[in-house]
Amino acid sequence: MMAMAQYGPGLSLSMLAVLMVLLFTGFPVAWCLAGVGLVYAGLGMLLDVFNPMQLFLVVSRIWGGVAENLVLVAVPMFIFMGVMLERSGVARSLLEILSILLRRVPGGLALAVVLMGTIMAATTGIVGASVVMLGMLALPVMAERGYDKPTTAGVIASSGTLGILIPPSIMLVIMADLLAIPVGDLFTGAVFPGLVLAGLYAIYIMVVGVLRPRAMPRETEPWRGSAGELVVLLLKGFVPPTLLVALVLGSIVMGWATPTEAAGVGAFGATVLAIVNRSLTPRLLTEVVCESALTNAMIFGILCGAAIFSYVFRAMGGDDAILETIAALDLHDWQLLALLMGIIFLLGFFFDWLEITLIILPVFRPIVMMLDLGTMVPAESLLLWFAIIVAVNLQTSYLTPPFGPALFYLRQVGKDTLTLGEIYRGIIPFTLLQLLALVLCIAFPALVLWLPSVSN
């Protein structure tokens, strides 16, 4: 006990510092998490603050907490659904239809990209695939029609990141597991914040389209097709993906299906859409399965590494060390919440959402449970509300330099069209809009809590 009191807090806090340094090396995250956990377990044995027999419990945590977790079963199927929709041509048809419908609106093509990003976010939840897909489809068209390059970059990158927040988000599934919250509650809680964020993007685009028409020129030529042709396009390209959204999200919100069952419906529905579009071939199916498997392996590898790291961290008193450090700051509850949000925002400049979620959320959970925010956020809803505002905050991690993944996805797609400087300039207003959405969710908790209270 004396050794634990003497060495435990210092060892556990240094674990976090060493992990942060290793993540900058570019070494695979899963191996960083697992390696740091095992090395510090060895140091703990030498200093008599970690029992060697405790390592046997790590296996049961990985097996029982990750491999057998029924909540995480939804992740592979949501990934499969997203990859299938991306590869089958559904997204291309959707963008063409939306651009036709919005051609007379200021910034109509940019609005079409935002709407498409919103719809695809509600069917995929995979940000990398969404940004690449939107970049490949929209970037050439927007450049051809004279759209300002920084604005084009900001619209595409920010619209592609909506998948991290709008259900069915893989991040929300993992958060639900980490915080022991029903996935359905997180999904319903994220609906309005996601729509508010998409709405802020749309309002900004229309304002820019009116005030700076050169940045977002309107369409001048009318569409030459007939009304009947437009109806056919809508029935073939717009109705199917929106119907899939209704099936997946509606079944969860209405309580007709669990998120895992809804994920199965989504994967099946995406495959049916590929068949209807006559794009499902043995080669396409093989590519979709392989890409889904690789993405799943990456996510579950990180989850297993995180299980090792978090177990050793807690066994050496890491949670207590964090709580004591926070208590020493003597902050008011709202000040403490602002501090936690600020830490997450700053970490988003350097780390991916998955790393932040797996490392920080288990550490912050006991701190959040002690908060008393009065009647604004009831104690029984505090963890749900906190999870959603963290999700909104983590939106910024995809756009903030120097390591915003969405920026590099877009740079790779538009390497002959966009410079990195133009991309950086373009995402500034959209990052500010994300922070505005975060402030709105904090100031008006009903944006998060009303729908879950109604649907339960």
Side-chain angles (χ1 to χ4, degrees):
M1 292 295 291
M2 291 182 62
M4 173 65 80
Q6 183 178 1
Y7 299 113
L11 275 177
S12 57
L13 292 178
S14 67
M15 279 183 72
L16 289 174
V18 170
L19 178 63
M20 296 299 180
V21 172
L22 285 177
L23 290 176
F24 280 106
T25 65
F27 202 68
V29 176
W31 299 118
C32 289
L33 287 163
V36 171
L38 292 175
V39 167
Y40 270 83
L43 288 175
M45 293 176 201
L46 292 176
L47 297 173
D48 197 27
V49 296
F50 189 84
N51 190 329
M53 297 301 293
Q54 289 177 294
L55 281 178
F56 288 99
L57 297 177
V58 172
V59 177
S60 63
R61 282 175 66 90
I62 292 175
W63 182 254
V66 178
E68 286 190 340
N69 193 313
L70 294 178
V71 173
L72 297 179
V73 172
V75 173
M77 289 184 285
F78 280 136
I79 292 174
F80 179 90
M81 177 175 66
V83 177
M84 179 63 78
L85 287 172
E86 177 205 352
R87 295 296 185 90
S88 63
V90 172
R92 183 180 300 275
S93 301
L94 184 61
L95 181 61
E96 291 174 357
I97 293 167
L98 290 173
S99 62
I100 291 171
L101 294 174
L102 297 170
R103 58 192 299 111
R104 291 298 186 182
V105 180
L109 182 56
L111 277 176
V113 172
V114 171
L115 286 176
M116 180 181 171
T118 305
I119 294 172
M120 297 308 294
T123 54
T124 64
I126 307 172
V127 170
S130 297
V131 173
V132 170
M133 175 188 63
L134 288 174
M136 293 176 65
L137 296 179
L139 188 56
V141 182
M142 295 177 80
E144 178 186 336
R145 297 183 185 178
Y147 273 68
D148 178 62
K149 287 186 177 182
T151 304
T152 297
V155 169
I156 294 174
S158 59
S159 300
T161 62
L162 289 170
I164 197 176
L165 178 61
I166 295 177
S169 163
I170 294 169
M171 180 179 71
L172 295 180
V173 176
I174 294 174
M175 276 186 167
D177 176 59
L178 290 173
L179 298 176
I181 303 173
V183 182
D185 288 351
L186 272 184
F187 277 8
T188 53
V191 169
F192 283 153
L195 294 178
V196 165
L197 187 56
L200 290 174
Y201 291 168
I203 292 170
Y204 171 76
I205 287 169
M206 287 188 287
V207 170
V208 172
V210 172
L211 299 180
R212 295 173 53 207
R214 289 186 179 180
M216 294 186 181
R218 296 194 192 195
E219 291 294 315
T220 55
E221 295 185 7
W223 186 57
R224 301 188 183 280
S226 65
E229 290 173 333
L230 181 59
V231 170
V232 171
L233 283 175
L234 288 172
L235 291 176
K236 289 179 62 177
F238 183 77
V239 173
T242 51
L243 182 60
L244 184 61
V245 171
L247 287 173
V248 174
L249 291 186
S251 59
I252 296 172
V253 172
M254 300 302 293
W256 298 336
T258 66
T260 304
E261 292 166 343
V265 172
F268 177 75
T271 306
V272 170
L273 289 183
I275 294 173
V276 171
N277 281 2
R278 298 181 181 178
S279 57
L280 185 64
T281 61
R283 179 178 179 181
L284 176 69
L285 184 60
T286 302
E287 291 175 354
V288 170
V289 169
C290 289
E291 186 172 340
S292 301
L294 289 173
T295 305
N296 276 297
M298 181 270 291
I299 291 176
F300 279 86
I302 293 176
L303 287 171
C304 291
I308 298 171
F309 178 89
S310 63
Y311 179 77
V312 176
F313 180 79
R314 290 177 177 176
M316 293 196 299
D319 286 359
D320 293 334
I322 294 291
L323 290 173
E324 290 171 5
T325 303
I326 295 294
L329 296 176
D330 193 24
L331 297 174
H332 186 272
D333 289 331
W334 285 103
Q335 292 173 329
L336 182 54
L337 179 66
L339 174 65
L340 300 183
M341 289 293 103
I343 291 172
I344 292 171
F345 176 70
L346 292 176
L347 288 175
F349 280 79
F350 306 104
F351 303 113
D352 189 45
W353 69 266
L354 189 56
E355 300 154 18
I356 298 172
T357 301
L358 293 174
I359 298 168
I360 295 299
L361 277 191
V363 175
F364 282 0
R365 187 180 190 275
I367 301 171
V368 174
M369 295 301 292
M370 296 188 304
L371 294 178
D372 181 7
L373 303 181
T375 57
M376 282 191 66
V377 185
E380 63 273 13
S381 303
L382 185 59
L383 211 54
L384 169 62
W385 175 73
F386 179 76
I388 297 300
I389 63 174
V390 168
V392 177
N393 198 342
L394 286 176
Q395 281 272 137
T396 61
S397 69
Y398 269 95
L399 295 182
T400 46
F403 300 118
L407 310 182
F408 295 102
Y409 294 144
L410 185 58
R411 177 72 179 94
Q412 186 62 33
V413 173
K415 56 187 175 183
D416 297 327
T417 308
L418 298 170
T419 65
L420 202 54
E422 289 170 338
I423 296 173
Y424 282 166
R425 290 200 305 274
I427 57 93
I428 291 174
F430 292 93
T431 303
L432 295 176
L433 290 173
Q434 289 175 341
L435 293 176
L436 176 59
L438 175 62
V439 171
L440 290 174
C441 290
I442 293 175
F444 304 101
L447 284 173
V448 175
L449 300 177
W450 180 80
L451 190 57
S453 67
V454 172
S455 58
N456 286 336

